[in-house]
Amino acid sequence: MRIHFREVTTSLKAGFIFLIVYGELLFTGTVVAQNPFIRDQFTADPSALVVGDRVYVYPSHDILATKDRGRMGWFCMEDYHVFSSPNLTEWTDHGVIVTQNKVSWVKPDSYSMWAPDCIFRNGKYYFYFPTTPADTLYGKRFTVGVAVADKPEGPFMPQPLPILNVRGIDPNVFIDKDGQAYLYWSQGHIYGAKLKDNMVELASEPKILGDLPDKGLKEGPYLFERNGIYYMTYPHVENKIERLEYATGDNPLGPFKIKGVIMDESPIGCWTNHHSIISFKDQWYLFYHHNDYSPRFDKARSVRIDSLFFDADGSIKKVTPTLRGVGVTDARQPIQIDRYSQLSDGASIVFLDTANTFKGWKTVFAKSNAWVQYNTVEFDKVLPDQILVKATSVKGGTLLIHADRANGPLLAELKIAPGQDWKITKAKIAKLKPGIHHLVIVSRNNNPVEVDWIQFE
Ligand code: FUB
């Protein structure tokens, strides 16, 4: 079922809610997300844009090819959605903004709406997208088009023609402090050129940014500036699959000096990674993708966020990907402890339903003292007095809930009755101070327990 996340802020505490949107009755699960943060569809190549006190994310939209749609075993992408959030945990899906069959110059049914970008200038939002043109005048393969809107969520009006003189994928746009805009893209090399003020035409000849690694595919350029340093960041195949790297310079078009790795290769072999980097409310964030909902097929990806930090000399500290992601989790929401901060031996994470991975994951405690830590849970002043757990345990198991650390205060002991079915078990909780706490969930005996979520009320 399609999940709409509109206008739910006041109902968020309910966790699971029904709401009426545009006259339709729709079911939505909890809208609070860790990694991946879009949980009802495949998304990739997240380009994040700060607009006032919200973050908008313009990702690609992976769908699965069939024999009548796209090319089996390859990327299949026909449209783009935009999502936004006030806090990087509650996400609104604003729906489709551009679709292949509604852009006049696009080859119909090319299913090649690859990594986009969006930027604000002079009261308009410019959305750049690479895809295959119908007319070979623009080349046989990828070129880049633009759609323009008055608001970040659209409606976006596609320009009648793609940008002349751009052949390639993965557009990225940057506006420097002096107002000059630049377009970057990739095709074997990474290219850059100045954009005219109208944002839809090049103002200079494309230049190959030649100071980047010369061996191994580079794509997905993303340029940003911080303290006078221009960071050219890009996925690069140094070994077998992509990792995120960066170079720095004094000018948006270089020269650049290769600096290092932002994120290592996927541990399970997702071949691509594609990212963007923003500063939001005094914290830097890395948006990237992984194949969380499709571990066996890496052309069906999901977008993630983790915090990013700099050293004093401006170097980027390598980011370790997490499932916990970013942001604060409300104690009164179902807390998906499978998006853990730390996990011990004897605890593992598996899909709830391998036939529909969008149902999410469960945590399996296989033996005594197996534990999972979930960080940054907010308890408001009106403290909850009980904990609920959705769990199952064939032989009947016991879970201990500690605050802050494994030997921290014991909040509750939950006895899961023996049985095959999922059930909600409740227990009283000990007093704790309002504010932010980490939670550690520990299995007390060797009877395996599976947990879907925990929640305080
Ligand atoms: O999403 C399709 C392509 O995969 C992107 O354009 C590349 O950057 C890679 O992520």
Side-chain angles (χ1 to χ4, degrees):
M1 194 173 305
R2 275 281 292 112
I3 297 178
H4 287 238
F5 287 164
R6 277 179 187 273
E7 294 156 20
V8 293
T9 344
T10 52
S11 317
L12 281 174
K13 308 257 179 212
F16 290 87
I17 45 185
F18 286 90
L19 62 157
I20 293 173
V21 183
Y22 303 137
E24 286 172 87
L25 181 63
L26 298 161
F27 171 74
T28 172
T30 175
V31 297
V32 177
Q34 298 89 36
N35 279 335
F37 65 90
I38 303 299
R39 299 187 154 204
D40 66 337
Q41 59 195 285
F42 296 117
T43 48
D45 311 322
S47 180
L49 178 70
V50 178
V51 181
D53 56 5
R54 290 185 85 80
V55 172
Y56 285 77
V57 174
Y58 300 85
S60 313
H61 181 195
D62 289 335
I63 55 176
L64 299 178
T66 62
K67 61 180 171 33
D68 308 315
R69 171 171 102 171
R71 177 176 143 202
M72 302 278 267
W74 189 236
F75 298 110
C76 185
M77 299 146 92
E78 67 178 332
D79 60 21
Y80 300 97
H81 289 228
V82 58
F83 303 84
S84 77
S85 171
N87 53 16
L88 305 182
T89 61
E90 296 153 11
W91 288 93
T92 300
D93 180 352
H94 298 280
V96 172
I97 51 169
V98 172
T99 187
Q100 64 178 8
N101 294 330
K102 292 196 178 148
V103 184
S104 55
W105 57 266
V106 173
K107 185 176 174 205
D109 301 333
S110 49
Y111 294 97
S112 58
M113 309 295 266
W114 283 18
D117 195 15
C118 188
I119 203 158
F120 175 73
R121 172 136 219 195
N122 294 337
K124 302 265 182 220
Y125 293 84
Y126 293 88
F127 178 74
Y128 297 79
F129 56 97
T131 193
T132 315
D135 189 335
T136 50
L137 186 65
Y138 304 105
K140 280 193 185 146
R141 299 211 55 234
F142 282 88
T143 184
V144 171
V146 192
V148 186
D150 293 329
K151 289 192 280 179
E153 69 273 25
F156 280 90
M157 286 299 297
Q159 294 291 295
L161 294 174
I163 305 178
L164 268 184
N165 222 4
V166 177
R167 301 270 162 89
I169 60 170
D170 295 356
N172 163 238
V173 191
F174 169 73
I175 301 177
D176 204 0
K177 284 173 285 193
D178 63 3
Q180 178 63 55
Y182 296 83
L183 178 69
Y184 303 90
W185 65 96
S186 58
Q187 191 187 39
H189 301 286
I190 291 180
Y191 292 80
K194 289 183 177 175
L195 275 170
K196 290 187 181 171
D197 282 349
N198 66 14
M199 299 298 276
V200 297
E201 287 175 280
L202 296 190
S204 69
E205 278 301 310
K207 174 186 169 188
I208 293 177
L209 306 185
D211 329 297
L212 306 178
D214 51 6
K215 291 208 183 82
L217 179 75
K218 301 177 289 292
E219 54 181 3
Y222 185 87
L223 190 116
F224 69 97
E225 183 267 343
R226 177 180 178 268
N227 296 339
I229 301 176
Y230 294 87
Y231 292 78
M232 169 48 72
T233 65
Y234 47 88
H236 171 228
V237 183
E238 171 68 21
N239 302 305
K240 288 188 173 159
I241 61 174
E242 289 180 345
R243 66 184 191 184
L244 302 179
E245 299 178 9
Y246 76 108
T248 59
D250 299 332
N251 186 293
L253 290 176
F256 293 106
K257 189 163 183 291
I258 296 171
K259 294 295 281 195
V261 177
I262 304 173
M263 179 173 278
D264 283 329
E265 292 94 342
S266 154
I268 63 162
C270 182
W271 204 93
T272 62
N273 198 351
H274 185 117
H275 68 298
S276 57
I277 294 172
I278 58 162
S279 167
F280 179 59
K281 298 185 179 167
D282 299 324
Q283 173 62 52
W284 287 84
Y285 294 99
L286 175 72
F287 288 70
Y288 63 101
H289 70 225
H290 199 242
N291 54 336
D292 296 270
Y293 287 117
S294 172
R296 296 204 181 137
F297 179 57
D298 65 359
K299 310 291 180 289
R301 300 155 296 175
S302 296
V303 289
R304 291 179 169 199
I305 319 172
D306 274 301
S307 300
L308 178 135
F309 299 92
F310 293 85
D311 280 325
D313 66 356
S315 313
I316 298 177
K317 288 183 196 260
K318 202 192 264 188
V319 179
T320 302
T322 75
L323 297 178
R324 174 64 187 84
V326 299
V328 172
T329 301
D330 181 349
R332 292 174 191 270
Q333 291 276 350
I335 303 168
Q336 308 292 340
I337 59 169
D338 49 77
R339 307 296 86 193
Y340 61 87
S341 307
Q342 286 187 67
L343 185 82
S344 79
D345 187 31
S348 60
I349 309 299
V350 292
F351 284 118
L352 281 165
D353 179 355
T354 49
N356 179 3
T357 56
F358 289 113
K359 285 188 181 162
W361 295 266
K362 60 187 175 185
T363 307
V364 180
F365 298 84
K367 61 179 190 189
S368 180
N369 286 326
W371 57 265
V372 164
Q373 179 165 334
Y374 184 100
N375 287 354
T376 324
V377 178
E378 183 166 39
F379 292 81
D380 58 27
K381 283 197 189 102
V382 185
L383 282 168
D385 56 16
Q386 60 177 355
I387 182 170
L388 283 64
V389 61
K390 184 175 174 195
T392 175
S393 174
V394 174
K395 292 185 178 167
T398 302
L399 295 174
L400 303 179
I401 315 291
H402 289 272
D404 304 323
R405 56 196 174 276
N407 59 357
L410 180 66
L411 283 185
E413 177 168 339
L414 284 147
K415 290 198 177 303
I416 319 297
Q420 304 278 353
D421 298 332
W422 288 100
K423 53 190 153 306
I424 310 285
T425 304
K426 297 184 181 184
K428 288 272 170 222
I429 62 166
K431 278 219 156 39
L432 89 168
K433 277 195 185 151
I436 303 282
H437 293 276
H438 302 337
L439 297 173
V440 183
I441 299 94
V442 189
S443 171
R444 189 159 197 191
N445 58 34
N446 279 322
N447 292 352
V449 181
E450 299 185 356
V451 174
D452 188 357
W453 47 258
I454 65 172
Q455 183 178 10
F456 294 83
E457 68 169 23

